[in-house]
């Protein structure tokens, strides 16, 4: 009796369980959408506490110092409003563009261009008084920022160029132009009135009549630029929600093919949104000149990186123009606290790390609200 040979049994190699992201069929409701940023912030605060503990700080004591430096300390609210003013403009710029699926990363450079235009007009018309200088500074800044943002917009609309790369590269071009006007040339913006100015380059100051006035009361100072920013947030919200132009933008953002089928000019809307975003960011540069520095200051504009922080502001607000106001105040408080607590044990870079943690938590919550993790095969 012969035995039949059986083929060897092959064992299947262990395979990793695939994980993928799948879009949720049910969209989050209003209550869920409102609570999502709060939950993201709470998670960010927990992670910040862990970070402070690793850095050798008592998390509760450090957070108490941050609150005191940002809100409860003497003069802290006024300083927080000052820090929040440029973030409000750059946050609005990012929120408008990102809400319409246009990725404008050039708010930093557009702010520089707005400061250059506003400073030039303010120097030329400052002696005529605030009634003349203020509106002209605003118009010049908005026009300069809009035209600067039109460059990546036109490249995207007609040559299909990635606006992320072009707007980001233009930030460096604007920064080099800003430094050249004050540090490496004898331009109209540079002060050449004395020997000290020749050795230590600085911008030409506006006439005192062109300084933007602030609102004071009860020991609180509210910059005029902040008031303009809040008014613009309301106008942008009304424009997006309650106008025909805003309706076109929402339709083309959610479904570009449907917008084209309905006869909506997607290219024109793209350029218009990008120019509006650039104008908003540029008004932040005008506020920096008119409210605070009163001259064109390259280091003062470049070091804080207002344009990039504005992206965090917009993400935290979920691209809602009204929520951008609260988000700018929150991050302005963190920035102000970082400046006041800066020391050998609490470096300024730690504030940037905190802002980064907040951004990742907010974006992570945004992703999880629209998608879910699915384990296993389809």
């Amino acid at each position: 009796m012969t035995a039949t040979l059986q083929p060897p049994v092959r064992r299947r190699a262990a395979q990793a369980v695939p994980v993928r992201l799948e879009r949720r069929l049910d969209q989050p409701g209003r209550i869920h959408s409102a609570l999502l940023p709060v939950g993201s912030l709470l998670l960010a605060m927990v992670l910040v506490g862990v970070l402070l503990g690793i850095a050798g700080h008592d998390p509760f004591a450090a957070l108490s110092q941050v609150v005191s430096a940002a809100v409860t300390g003497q003069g802290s609210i006024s300083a927080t409003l000052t820090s929040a003013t440029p973030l409000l403009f750059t946050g609005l710029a990012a929120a408008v563009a990102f809400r319409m699926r246009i990725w404008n990363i050039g708010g930093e450079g557009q702010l520089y261009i707005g400061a250059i235009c506003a400073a030039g007009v303010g120097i030329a018309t400052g002696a005529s008084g605030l009634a003349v200088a203020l509106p002209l500074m605003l118009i010049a800044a908005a026009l300069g920022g809009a035209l600067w943002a039109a460059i990546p917009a036109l490249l995207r609309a007609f040559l299909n160029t990635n606006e992320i790369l072009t707007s980001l590269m233009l930030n460096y071009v604007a920064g080099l132009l800003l430094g050249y006007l004050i540090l490496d040339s004898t331009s109209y913006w540079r002060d050449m009135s004395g020997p000290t100015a020749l050795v230590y380059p600085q911008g030409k100051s506006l006439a005192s009549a062109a300084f933007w006035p602030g609102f004071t009361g009860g020991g609180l100072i509210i910059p005029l630029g902040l008031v303009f920013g809040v008014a613009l947030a309301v106008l942008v919200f009304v424009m997006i929600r309650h106008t025909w132009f805003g309706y076109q933008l929402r339709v083309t953002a959610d479904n570009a093919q449907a917008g084209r089928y309905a006869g909506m000019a997607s290219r024109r809307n793209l350029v218009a949104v990008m120019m509006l975003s650039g104008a908003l960011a540029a008004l932040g540069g005008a506020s920096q000149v008119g409210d605070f520095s009163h001259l064109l200051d390259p280091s003062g504009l470049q070091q804080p990186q207002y344009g990039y922080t504005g992206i965090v502001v917009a993400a935290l607000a979920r691209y809602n123009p009204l929520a951008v106001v609260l988000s700018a105040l929150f991050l302005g408080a963190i920035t102000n606290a970082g400046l006041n607590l800066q020391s050998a044990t609490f470096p300024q870079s730690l504030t940037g790390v905190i802002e980064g943690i907040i951004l990742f938590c907010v974006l992570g919550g945004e992703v999880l609200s629209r998608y879910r993790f699915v384990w296993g095969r389809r």
Side-chain angles (χ1 to χ4, degrees):
M1 187 173 181
T2 58
T4 58
L5 298 177
Q6 298 293 334
V9 177
R10 294 182 180 180
R11 295 182 178 179
R12 294 183 178 179
Q15 296 182 353
V17 178
V19 181
R20 67 182 185 275
L21 281 175
E22 186 178 87
R23 181 180 286 275
R24 296 180 184 272
L25 298 180
D26 53 335
Q27 295 298 323
R30 292 185 177 182
I31 298 178
H32 182 271
S33 299
L35 292 178
L36 182 62
V38 178
S40 300
L41 283 179
L42 291 177
L43 176 60
M45 290 299 101
V46 172
L47 296 178
V48 167
V50 174
L51 174 66
L52 293 173
I54 295 174
H57 298 276
D58 181 359
F60 296 101
L63 290 176
S64 177
Q65 291 177 351
V66 167
V67 172
S68 176
V71 180
T72 60
Q74 184 177 4
S76 58
I77 296 181
S78 297
T80 293
L81 295 179
T82 298
S83 299
T85 299
L87 300 182
L88 175 55
F89 287 100
T90 55
L92 280 175
V96 168
F98 288 10
R99 171 62 181 84
M100 304 309 167
R101 304 292 193 272
I102 302 171
W103 312 112
N104 178 22
I105 314 297
E108 185 80 5
Q110 292 148 16
L111 182 139
Y112 299 161
I113 297 300
I116 292 172
C117 295
V121 172
I123 293 169
T125 63
S128 301
L130 187 66
V132 175
L134 176 60
L136 291 180
M137 290 174 68
L138 294 173
I139 294 172
L143 183 61
L147 293 177
W148 192 259
I151 299 173
L154 294 173
L155 291 175
R156 158 71 186 279
F158 295 98
L159 298 178
N160 201 26
T161 305
N162 192 321
E163 74 275 16
I164 297 177
L165 297 178
T166 53
S167 61
L168 179 62
M169 289 188 293
L170 283 174
N171 289 343
Y172 298 100
V173 176
L176 292 172
L177 175 62
L178 179 64
Y180 172 78
L181 292 176
I182 302 300
L183 304 177
D184 300 319
S185 68
T186 56
S187 68
Y188 178 74
W189 287 262
R190 180 174 173 178
D191 185 10
M192 305 292 294
S193 59
T196 304
L198 297 177
V199 178
Y200 302 101
Q202 61 182 8
K204 191 182 300 181
S205 178
L206 276 65
S208 58
F211 292 2
W212 293 14
F215 299 92
T216 59
L220 187 65
I221 301 176
I222 303 175
L224 182 61
L226 183 66
V227 178
F228 285 157
V230 174
L232 284 173
V234 175
L235 291 177
V236 170
F237 178 82
V238 172
M239 183 270 294
I240 293 176
R241 293 294 182 91
H242 302 289
T243 65
W244 171 246
F245 177 66
Y247 172 74
Q248 292 187 66
L249 297 181
R250 297 199 308 273
V251 170
T252 54
D254 294 335
N255 193 327
Q257 186 176 0
R260 287 192 296 269
Y261 181 78
M264 299 178 182
S266 58
R267 287 182 177 178
R268 183 184 63 191
N269 291 337
L270 186 151
V271 175
V273 170
M274 196 73 164
M275 293 181 70
L276 174 61
S277 177
L280 290 171
L283 289 175
S287 172
Q288 286 299 106
V289 173
D291 277 316
F292 309 117
S293 65
H294 305 136
L295 50 83
L296 192 62
D297 180 15
S299 61
L301 288 171
Q302 291 176 312
Q303 186 176 3
Q305 297 186 339
Y306 296 123
Y308 300 113
T309 309
I311 297 175
V312 184
V313 172
L316 183 59
R318 302 194 71 189
Y319 314 136
N320 185 318
L322 296 182
V324 165
V325 178
L326 300 178
S327 178
L329 292 174
F330 175 73
L331 286 178
I334 293 178
T335 303
N336 177 40
L339 293 174
N340 290 333
L341 298 177
Q342 186 175 0
S343 63
T345 59
F346 199 101
Q348 178 64 25
S349 58
L350 190 58
T351 304
V353 174
I354 293 174
E355 292 176 354
I357 291 175
I358 294 173
L359 174 62
F360 279 108
C361 289
V362 170
L363 292 181
E366 182 72 18
V367 170
L368 292 179
S369 70
R370 298 177 181 271
Y371 298 86
R372 62 179 179 177
F373 287 102
V374 178
W375 283 267
R377 296 185 177 277
R378 185 180 297 276

